[in-house]
Amino acid sequence: MTQSSDNEVDLLLGRMKTAAAPIRDVLRQIYGRLSQLGEGKVADYIPELAQANPNDFGISLCTVDGQTIEVGDCQKMFTIQSASKPFTYGLAIEDHGCEAVLQKIGVEPTGEAFNSIVLDETSNRPFNPMVNAGAIATADLIKGTDYPDRVKRMLATFARYCGREIFVDNAVFLSERTTGHRNRAMAHLMRNFGMVGDKFEESLELYFQQCSLLVHAHDLAVMGATLANGGINPVTQEQAVSTETVKYILSIMLSCGMYDYAGEWAFRVGLPAKSGVGGGIVAVVPGVLGIGLYSPLLDDKGNSRRGVEACIELSRRFGLHALESGTGTDDIKDFLSLNRGRGQKPNKS
């Protein structure tokens, strides 16, 4: 590389950092304020989750051109839990097609807790893929020549979204398997009604493994940015999911993604999102960026308390609500004005 080329790269990187600096300041303000928020409780119904540090908190943004801006504990690993559900749902659609999946799993909010034993008896299917019953039915649809192949395909899917190899936390997996009596009851009930196949116990194991994947807030931001970018990972440029499937994933995230807070979330934040009891939230601003948050202090709905408040503030500040048009205090695109071509190395600030 010539001296001239070196100078051009240095100038480009400097411009990236300058563009990211204002929004980083906003994140620091939100982080500083919400770090003092001590409300909530770490999940303990899965014993291993109770080991989480309640002070951990991270906010990560990843844009569709690969920039990342983050504050706090964005590299702290935790298990993805229910935040995995939209991505497995996308894999089921890719395996079978949208209409075939709709025959097996509905798309209606329940207004009930995520682990409620409630099924749509009229259509003989779970209400949606974001509650546990629907997520177990989704796992039942994942193809593979045998169980190890199904696990391999699931891991490969999440690796494409994250842009790195993904692993299962075996301690959490075993804890989920040992204490997952309610989920096991749902699976048997659905088998009784013919909602899942005869390998449902294997599918339940797959579901437990899916929920036990280790991620951090940065991963969730990249996963969200991949959906925001039409299914293409903005860091690796790999197609994680088809553009056609993305709209179905985002639709179910917006309507059903935040447990029985989904309606108020749509009202206040207005972004496709999914939370998990491990403390993670992934949210998507289509065409702009993904948001990854981590704080294990949960509210009474099972959502990250700090994560919800951070998203409310970001949506209000930047007018991110899907049904408003630039009415926020600032326009996030002004803060992220640098548009780089695909294939260029992303910046991390």
Side-chain angles (χ1 to χ4, degrees):
M1 184 178 287
T2 66
Q3 182 65 40
S4 175
S5 297
D6 286 337
N7 291 338
E8 289 175 1
V9 170
D10 289 342
L11 180 61
L12 179 61
L13 290 174
R15 287 175 57 205
M16 291 176 186
K17 291 177 181 177
T18 300
I23 198 166
R24 194 186 314 114
D25 290 341
V26 172
L27 292 187
R28 284 173 177 161
Q29 292 169 14
I30 296 173
Y31 175 83
R33 180 172 62 83
L34 295 180
S35 292
Q36 308 306 311
L37 184 64
E39 300 172 10
K41 181 183 177 183
V42 173
D44 58 7
Y45 72 96
I46 299 170
E48 280 295 317
L49 297 186
Q51 307 303 314
N53 183 346
N55 295 319
D56 288 342
F57 181 31
I59 308 172
S60 179
L61 308 182
C62 180
T63 68
V64 293
D65 62 1
Q67 297 182 68
T68 58
I69 308 101
E70 47 197 30
V71 295
D73 303 306
C74 292
Q75 298 295 320
K76 183 65 177 284
M77 304 294 282
F78 58 94
T79 51
I80 192 169
Q81 298 299 323
S82 289
S84 63
K85 292 173 180 175
F87 305 96
T88 307
Y89 181 63
L91 177 58
I93 291 176
E94 302 269 274
D95 278 353
H96 299 275
C98 181
E99 293 304 318
V101 173
L102 275 174
Q103 292 297 313
K104 293 288 187 178
I105 307 159
V107 290
E108 300 298 332
T110 66
E112 303 285 346
F114 66 94
N115 60 353
S116 295
I117 303 178
V118 56
L119 301 168
D120 187 347
E121 296 180 12
T122 302
S123 62
N124 198 48
R125 55 185 181 169
F127 278 96
N128 68 72
M130 301 296 102
V131 292
N132 287 8
I136 294 166
T138 299
D140 196 55
L141 294 176
I142 302 307
K143 290 182 176 179
T145 56
D146 52 22
Y147 177 65
D149 187 51
R150 296 173 73 198
V151 173
K152 182 179 178 180
R153 292 191 67 239
M154 181 268 290
L155 290 172
T157 295
F158 282 91
R160 288 193 297 273
Y161 276 105
C162 294
R164 66 174 183 87
E165 192 173 4
I166 292 295
F167 301 95
V168 172
D169 185 321
N170 282 320
V172 174
F173 166 62
L174 292 173
S175 189
E176 295 231 19
R177 176 202 261 176
T178 302
T179 61
H181 308 300
R182 193 179 186 90
N183 286 325
R184 196 163 280 109
M186 290 180 202
H188 279 273
L189 187 61
M190 288 191 292
R191 178 57 187 149
N192 179 68
F193 289 114
M195 297 180 185
V196 293
D198 57 5
K199 294 183 178 180
F200 70 96
E201 291 182 337
E202 180 183 285
S203 297
L204 186 62
E205 293 283 293
L206 182 63
Y207 171 69
F208 288 148
Q209 295 223 33
Q210 163 197 320
C211 290
S212 303
L213 298 176
L214 281 167
V215 295
H216 41 53
H218 174 78
D219 286 331
L220 293 182
V222 174
M223 294 169 76
T226 299
L227 294 176
N229 196 38
I232 298 173
N233 185 308
V235 177
T236 65
Q237 300 303 312
E238 185 175 8
Q239 186 91 40
V241 65
S242 71
T243 302
E244 177 73 10
T245 299
V246 168
K247 67 183 179 183
Y248 302 126
I249 297 173
L250 294 181
S251 296
I252 203 70
M253 289 173 74
L254 181 59
S255 63
C256 304
M258 297 297 287
Y259 300 138
D260 48 328
Y261 181 70
E264 188 165 345
W265 171 274
F267 185 84
R268 293 185 181 277
V269 181
L271 292 176
K274 186 70 192 85
S275 61
V277 295
I281 295 178
V282 54
V284 181
V285 185
V288 182
L289 54 77
I291 305 171
L293 306 107
Y294 172 58
S295 173
L297 285 175
L298 307 181
D299 60 24
D300 59 1
K301 305 292 188 182
N303 299 313
S304 170
R305 182 76 171 85
R306 293 181 183 128
V308 168
E309 290 299 322
C311 287
I312 289 173
E313 176 64 17
L314 286 169
S315 181
R316 183 198 63 79
R317 176 72 181 267
F318 296 111
L320 301 181
H321 196 293
L323 301 181
E324 68 178 320
S325 179
T327 59
T329 306
D330 301 298
D331 188 338
I332 199 166
K333 292 180 181 178
D334 292 338
F335 284 75
L336 299 168
S337 57
L338 182 62
N339 295 310
R340 296 179 288 116
R342 289 183 176 176
Q344 291 180 271
K345 187 176 180 179
N347 172 57
K348 182 177 179 180
S349 299

